[in-house]
Amino acid sequence: MKSPTHICKSCFCNFNEGSFHSLFNSPTLCNKCLKEYNPIFKKFKIENIEALAIYEYEGKVKENIFIFKGCGDYELKDTFLSSFVTDLRVMFWNFVILPAPSSEESNLKRGFNHVKEIFSILGLPMYEIFKKISNHKQSNLSYLERQKVNKVLSIYNGEIIKNKNVLIVDDICTTGATLKALISLIKPFNPKQIKVLVIAKRDMSEDEINKIKNSHEIL
Ligand SMILES: [Zn+2]
């Protein structure tokens, strides 16, 4: 049986993906690009909450997150998860997804909410209960300002997660400040279980963290 030909959404080559895995997933990346994305499935903790990152924030995946999110290249949206849809659906079959918010202003500029678009491929129920009040670009913030990020995040309709298994999802985890803020927003609504899934984890050395802590960067 000849396997169908796909077009890689990252390098645009034609590829045949005849593996057993592809019977259940519709790949959007050729093997070469998937290797360059370098999935690591790294487990970590945010306070006491179990978190999982699919990739390290570097190389091709970093570049494509930027092109997708910063330049609005919508075609890249499925490339981050398409190879792992079945695995992730099994892992989180009884969870509802809570996408980390981005501001209305950024969504309008981009034409879509990038976090929601990336994770919609999983086909799990998604509740958009988080809102971001103003545009608050993390990369422009000093460490102390990042700690204050919860001031601009809020929750609506929190009651709907009572007794539910919730999966908070985001694209990049750097200091974890946003995710921590989201976790503390949902805790009062008594979800049954909280887990976190991110596309990429940015690992910073002690030095880098201290540099950020000591910087007096102004907004
Ligand atoms: Zn490719």
Side-chain angles (χ1 to χ4, degrees):
M1 189 178 78
K2 201 170 179 297
S3 53
T5 301
H6 306 274
I7 294 173
C8 174
K9 296 213 178 224
S10 184
C11 74
F12 307 108
C13 77
N14 285 300
F15 68 101
N16 286 300
E17 226 289 345
S19 71
F20 180 72
H21 207 64
S22 70
L23 289 174
F24 306 103
N25 295 293
S26 295
T28 55
L29 291 178
C30 69
N31 276 333
K32 181 182 138 278
C33 288
L34 182 59
K35 245 183 221 151
E36 282 175 8
Y37 267 44
N38 188 25
I40 49 161
F41 285 88
K42 185 176 192 164
K43 283 185 181 164
F44 61 105
K45 290 226 163 172
I46 296 176
E47 277 156 358
N48 280 320
I49 304 294
E50 255 179 57
L52 178 68
I54 314 270
Y55 308 96
E56 199 96 63
Y57 186 60
E58 60 184 14
K60 195 73 187 168
V61 83
K62 178 178 174 183
E63 190 184 308
N64 276 357
I65 288 175
F66 174 76
I67 297 171
F68 170 64
K69 180 179 168 178
C71 314
D73 186 347
Y74 191 74
E75 281 298 299
L76 287 169
K77 77 181 180 87
D78 291 339
T79 62
F80 308 105
L81 292 179
S82 67
S83 306
F84 312 109
V85 170
T86 320
D87 314 65
L88 293 169
R89 278 181 62 89
V90 168
M91 218 179 274
F92 300 113
W93 68 276
N94 56 352
F95 279 72
V96 300
I97 289 183
L98 309 180
S102 64
S103 74
E104 286 297 320
E105 192 191 338
S106 314
N107 291 342
L108 279 174
K109 218 186 266 175
R110 196 184 292 122
F112 54 86
N113 172 331
H114 66 287
V115 178
K116 202 178 134 193
E117 291 301 331
I118 290 177
F119 288 91
S120 64
I121 192 173
L122 298 182
L124 296 169
M126 197 180 281
Y127 299 161
E128 288 178 78
I129 58 172
F130 298 125
K131 295 263 188 292
K132 200 172 197 179
I133 289 153
S134 66
N135 203 5
H136 202 81
K137 273 209 165 151
Q138 288 268 307
S139 51
N140 296 335
L141 302 182
S142 72
Y143 182 80
L144 284 174
E145 284 159 340
R146 281 182 204 216
Q147 302 308 303
K148 287 188 223 148
V149 76
N150 52 355
K151 291 228 168 104
V152 295
L153 297 170
S154 55
I155 187 166
Y156 292 81
N157 244 337
E159 319 72 61
I160 61 169
I161 60 163
K162 194 179 173 190
N163 286 325
K164 292 217 157 65
N165 297 315
V166 298
L167 182 65
I168 302 176
V169 300
D170 205 352
D171 55 348
I172 307 158
C173 173
T174 306
T175 63
T178 302
L179 292 163
K180 267 182 213 161
L182 297 178
I183 291 166
S184 54
L185 280 174
I186 59 173
K187 273 190 173 163
F189 295 99
N190 300 312
K192 196 169 167 189
Q193 190 180 183
I194 306 170
K195 287 192 178 180
V196 169
L197 175 65
V198 297
I199 296 299
K201 171 124 174 54
R202 183 174 174 187
D203 265 326
M204 295 204 291
S205 65
E206 285 287 308
D207 274 4
E208 282 173 298
I209 292 171
N210 285 332
K211 217 189 258 173
I212 294 173
K213 272 186 184 168
N214 296 329
S215 77
H216 296 284
E217 252 185 317
I218 293 173
L219 262 173

